[in-house]
Amino acid sequence: MISRGLFRAERLLAAGASTGPVLGLDTATSIAILGLVSRGRPLGSLARPVRSHGSALPAAIDELLHEAGVKLVDLAGIAVGIGPGSFTGLRIGLSYAKGLAMGCGCPVAGIGSLDGMAVAAAADGTLAPGQLICPLVDARKGEVYTGLYRIGPDGLEKLTNEPIVRLEQLLAEKAGEAVFVVEEIASGDGLLVGAIGGRARTVNLLHSGTRGMWMAALGAARIAEHDVDSVASLQPLYVRPPDARLAAGRGAITGKEPLWSAEKRTLSSSMRPTTRS
C-alpha cells in the first residue's frame, strides 16, 4: 500500500515525466547535494560533506552520472539550488550549473534550497497532512534561514518567504507546532540539532540522502512546463548581504501559496525565486 507521503511524491515525479535526465544540485551548505531524475523516475542521489565545493563538485557529478549510466550531453536540464545559504557555496554551485547548461545546451531552473528541503521532508511519508515543516539552514551568529510550509492533502503549501531569524526566537514561537528540518553531519561546527537540544521534533535529511533527487524533480516539473530561468541573469537568493544583520523575523507571511500540488505543480510566479544582483 502506498503511503500518503509517497503518493504525493509520485505525483511530483510524474509532473516531470515528459522530461529527460535532469541533474539537481545544491551547494548552499557544506553538504554537496546532488540528484538525478529522468522521465518521472529517480536515477540516484548523493549527499556528501565536502571541504570545498569547487574541488569536489565535478568529481561528485561525474560519479552520480556514471552510476546512472547518463552522460553530460544527455542532460535535458539542470535544477540548481539558489539558497539562501553560504555565499561562497551558492556562487560556486550556480556558476558550475550555468557552465554545464551552456556547455550542454540545456535549460536551467533555479530552485529555493529551503523548498527542496521541505519537499524532501514531506516526501519521506512519515509526516501527516496538516503538519507544519520548518527547514533550517545555519546563517551563523545564532541565526537561521528558514521558511514555513504545510503538508496538504495533495502537495506542499508554502506559507512564508525566506526570512532570517534568531534560532532561539524561532524555537520559542514554533517548537510546539512545527517539525524542524535540518541537513547536517553528526559532528562538526554549527550543529543545529545540538542547539535545538531536544526542544522540538527534528528531521535530519542526511539520514535519507534524497534531497538532491527532489531538487531535480522540482526542476523537471518546471522544465516540463517550459518554465525555466535565464542562464545569464539567474542569481543566488542571498536574503542578506555579507556581514550584515537583518532584524529577526524579516520576511513576513505572504499568504498561502501552493509550492506544489496536483493542480499546481510548480512555484507560482509570485513565490518563485527571482533574479537578484
Side-chain angles (χ1 to χ4, degrees), residues 178-237:
V179 173
F180 288 175
V181 179
V182 301
E183 194 167 53
E184 61 184 23
I185 56 178
S187 61
D189 57 1
L191 286 179
L192 293 174
V193 170
I196 293 170
R199 289 175 285 174
R201 182 181 176 186
T202 61
V203 172
N204 191 341
L205 295 179
L206 275 191
H207 292 166
S208 64
T210 60
R211 180 163 73 92
M213 180 183 75
W214 298 114
M215 296 288 292
L218 284 168
R222 282 187 52 192
I223 292 169
E225 295 186 356
H226 307 288
D227 178 18
V228 298
D229 292 298
S230 165
V231 173
S233 60
L234 182 62
Q235 296 293 325
L237 181 63

Side-chain angles (χ1 to χ4, degrees), residues 31 68 92 98 104 111 181 207-208 216 244 256 267:
I31 310 295
I92 291 173
K98 288 183 174 184
C104 298
I111 306 296
V181 179
H207 292 166
S208 64
K256 300 176 181 178
L267 285 156

Side-chain angles (χ1 to χ4, degrees), residues 257-269:
E257 291 282 350
L259 173 64
W260 179 86
S261 68
E263 293 75 25
K264 190 163 187 173
R265 295 182 171 89
T266 60
L267 285 156
S268 70
S269 60

Side-chain angles (χ1 to χ4, degrees), residues 117-224:
M117 293 177 70
V119 169
D124 179 72
T126 60
L127 302 180
Q131 177 67 63
L132 293 177
I133 298 176
C134 194
L136 305 178
V137 172
D138 193 355
R140 307 300 182 184
K141 304 175 183 178
E143 296 176 324
V144 291
Y145 301 114
T146 188
L148 191 63
Y149 304 75
R150 178 183 288 115
I151 300 176
D154 296 309
L156 190 64
E157 184 178 57
K158 185 173 185 177
L159 304 179
T160 67
N161 276 324
E162 294 83 355
I164 181 168
V165 301
R166 294 200 63 80
L167 179 58
E168 288 299 322
Q169 177 186 337
L170 189 63
L171 283 168
E173 294 177 352
K174 299 297 181 184
E177 56 179 324
V179 173
F180 288 175
V181 179
V182 301
E183 194 167 53
E184 61 184 23
I185 56 178
S187 61
D189 57 1
L191 286 179
L192 293 174
V193 170
I196 293 170
R199 289 175 285 174
R201 182 181 176 186
T202 61
V203 172
N204 191 341
L205 295 179
L206 275 191
H207 292 166
S208 64
T210 60
R211 180 163 73 92
M213 180 183 75
W214 298 114
M215 296 288 292
L218 284 168
R222 282 187 52 192
I223 292 169

